[in-house]
Amino acid sequence: WPVVDLRSRSQMCIRDSALAVRPGITDPASLAYIDEDALLAKAADPEREYVEVILPAKLRCAVEYAETATLWTDLRVLAHTLHRLAGGA
């Protein structure tokens, strides 16, 4: 991971909210960016793309999910993850 310089206060608040949640095996952000390596490989400036686009989106997604997660949503994300890992779209 590139060194992350979160300069805006809103980005720091989102980051802090995301880090306040105990991490799990998978989450919607991991699924949404399962092809993160390919996205970064296409970027003119991969570090900038990660810091300014991908990381903020992943953090927002993680916070949104943490605020609404239930056992059922966790099971659905886990099932979707297993499907993707098995080669499903």
Side-chain angles (χ1 to χ4, degrees):
W1 286 27
V3 174
V4 178
D5 181 14
L6 297 174
R7 295 183 182 160
S8 79
R9 187 172 299 278
S10 65
Q11 280 185 329
M12 288 191 299
C13 290
I14 292 169
R15 180 209 57 204
D16 292 346
S17 295
L19 293 176
V21 177
R22 186 173 177 203
I25 296 171
T26 185
D27 66 353
S30 297
L31 290 169
Y33 288 92
I34 202 163
D35 61 346
E36 183 177 309
D37 291 343
L39 293 172
L40 292 173
K42 292 182 208 174
D45 183 346
E47 184 174 351
R48 184 176 184 165
E49 180 75 9
Y50 183 80
V51 171
E52 294 182 6
V53 178
I54 294 174
L55 181 61
K58 287 175 76 172
L59 290 173
R60 280 191 304 275
C61 184
V63 170
E64 289 170 10
Y65 184 70
E67 291 173 347
T68 61
T70 66
L71 174 61
W72 301 116
T73 58
D74 286 349
L75 291 173
R76 188 172 68 227
V77 169
L78 186 56
H80 192 199
T81 299
L82 292 172
H83 178 73
R84 292 292 303 263
L85 292 174

